[in-house]
Amino acid sequence: MKRSGQIGFSPFKSIKGDGVNMKFLILLAFFYLSLPLGRASENEVWIPAQKINDKFISAYLTNGNQWCSPATLIGPNVFLTSAHCLPLIGHSKKIQIVGLNNNQKVAIRNTYSHDSIISEDEFFSGEECKNTFESINDKSQLKPSELLKCWYSGGKSDVAIIVTEADFTAPMFSISSRKIDSGEQISFLRYADGCGGEVGNYSLAQLDVFGFQKNQMVLNGNHQNGSTVKNCGGSGGPYFSKKLDGSVEVIGLHSAGTRANLELTIYGKRVFLPANFLGGTHLRSQEVWQWLNQIAAEKNLKICGVNFPCQPVFLPIY
């Protein structure tokens, strides 16, 4: 189930029910997703768009009705996004550039993706997921530990790069220089439009790393202080890890997440998803890291943190 204006996967395609109960679940879901977050909490803050655009260049992905969070500049002419965002480019072979007084469409030289994840059916599937459900006695509740085993078809990646004809002189984000562990905290930068923020502004959310499944990282938006970071769009948005000097590097890309009070049928088993778990591609997984190095060498691309040194980047609010 997708909100208008957002693109991304919703793992609720196979929702089953009948009569009043099904209508109640659907109404409850829409009510839940429409609740305003206000200024959020200490775990999420709104950043005015101008504050981002005054410091960085981004590539805007939209087809007029749906959008992804802006692609991140990681080289002079290389932008990073999620693979499932690429269809928004359409047939024009151009992309909108915003930030640092830029408001122009530039030609795309090429796009490359590691895995192609387009279908919602790929969200919860795979043999390991099937075995997990067969081993659960109580099928009424899917616990986070089981969620990790079912994430994204056993851990496929959802990463792509966009190469433009033009080069840009602007701050460039490096791919993370280190791997991170479960329990660490990352920051997720996304459009705030679908998250209760003002249209056009950004949300910077703090999330705990819950675990890893091959090329995917899963993040917990439920905090001990009772606040939550909800799944409300942001596909293609960067996950940042923080260095000792306060600068940030890109450790992942957002793909999807879970929402509360929705029933899902997997392999004929009815379960309820734990809410507010988000996740996407882990850029320092062995496969994705090797692919980034390979594509940089084969296509003669400069990618910060892979084969090209770049200056540290600091976010306006962190």
Side-chain angles (χ1 to χ4, degrees):
M1 191 176 295
K2 298 176 184 175
R3 287 176 56 92
S4 174
Q6 296 176 347
I7 189 169
F9 296 116
S10 176
F12 315 119
K13 188 174 182 180
S14 302
I15 302 173
K16 296 185 179 181
D18 53 17
V20 176
N21 289 337
M22 186 58 189
K23 292 180 181 178
F24 173 74
L25 280 174
I26 293 174
L27 289 172
L28 183 62
F30 276 104
F31 172 73
Y32 174 84
L33 294 175
S34 65
L35 289 176
L37 295 183
R39 177 125 185 110
S41 69
E42 62 189 66
N43 299 113
E44 187 170 17
V45 294
W46 308 137
I47 304 177
Q50 195 62 40
K51 207 164 189 178
I52 296 292
N53 295 336
D54 282 348
K55 292 181 177 293
F56 309 115
I57 280 179
S58 302
Y60 188 66
L61 296 170
T62 181
N63 61 8
N65 296 314
Q66 297 174 308
W67 63 83
C68 279
S69 285
T72 305
L73 186 67
I74 59 168
N77 66 335
V78 181
F79 291 87
L80 187 70
T81 189
S82 293
H84 78 264
C85 294
L86 291 182
L88 293 181
I89 295 173
H91 302 291
S92 67
K93 298 300 181 184
K94 290 185 177 181
I95 196 167
Q96 181 73 40
I97 304 298
V98 295
L100 294 177
N101 298 317
N102 281 276
N103 187 13
Q104 58 179 317
K105 287 189 176 181
V106 299
I108 295 173
R109 181 183 303 171
N110 219 328
T111 61
Y112 307 96
S113 60
H114 181 232
D115 280 330
S116 179
I117 297 181
I118 302 298
S119 171
E120 292 180 359
D121 295 332
E122 292 187 283
F123 195 99
F124 285 96
S125 60
E127 192 64 27
E128 189 172 8
C129 182
K130 181 179 179 181
N131 293 338
T132 296
F133 277 93
E134 289 177 345
S135 67
I136 299 174
N137 293 323
D138 181 5
K139 302 295 194 266
S140 65
Q141 183 71 33
L142 176 64
K143 298 179 181 178
S145 56
E146 283 87 44
L147 171 70
L148 185 61
K149 296 179 181 179
C150 295
W151 197 265
Y152 259 130
S153 298
K156 289 182 71 175
S157 67
D158 184 19
V159 55
I161 57 177
I162 301 169
V163 183
T164 59
E165 293 287 359
D167 286 5
F168 298 95
T169 303
M172 294 171 281
F173 291 89
S174 291
I175 305 299
S176 181
S177 55
R178 69 178 184 90
K179 296 181 179 180
I180 59 175
D181 298 317
S182 298
E184 291 192 48
Q185 192 172 81
I186 61 94
S187 291
F188 172 27
L189 185 67
R190 60 182 170 180
Y191 278 139
D193 298 24
C195 305
E198 295 182 9
V199 174
N201 290 345
Y202 288 81
S203 155
L204 186 65
Q206 310 300 317
L207 294 158
D208 296 322
V209 178
F210 174 71
F212 301 91
Q213 172 68 345
K214 297 182 181 178
N215 295 323
Q216 292 285 322
M217 56 194 301
V218 181
L219 310 168
N220 189 353
N222 302 294
H223 294 280
Q224 292 183 353
N225 63 8
S227 65
T228 58
V229 175
K230 297 176 181 177
N231 173 42
C232 50
S235 290
Y239 297 152
F240 290 117
S241 59
K242 193 174 182 181
K243 300 184 69 176
L244 292 177
D245 64 359
S247 63
V248 296
E249 298 176 322
V250 187
I251 188 63
L253 291 170
H254 183 63
S255 294
T258 62
R259 301 173 184 174
N261 301 319
L262 286 170
E263 184 181 324
L264 177 67
T265 299
I266 310 175
Y267 296 103
K269 307 295 192 295
R270 296 171 59 187
V271 297
F272 287 89
L273 295 167
N276 309 319
F277 280 81
L278 297 83
T281 299
H282 180 210
L283 298 178
R284 285 309 305 258
S285 70
Q286 183 174 353
E287 284 187 21
V288 176
W289 178 245
Q290 288 178 348
W291 176 75
L292 288 169
N293 280 270
Q294 179 181 348
I295 205 75
E298 290 182 354
K299 307 301 179 182
N300 194 28
L301 302 175
K302 296 176 180 178
I303 299 179
C304 298
V306 173
N307 65 347
F308 187 60
C310 294
Q311 294 297 315
V313 176
F314 300 83
L315 293 177
I317 297 177
Y318 194 78

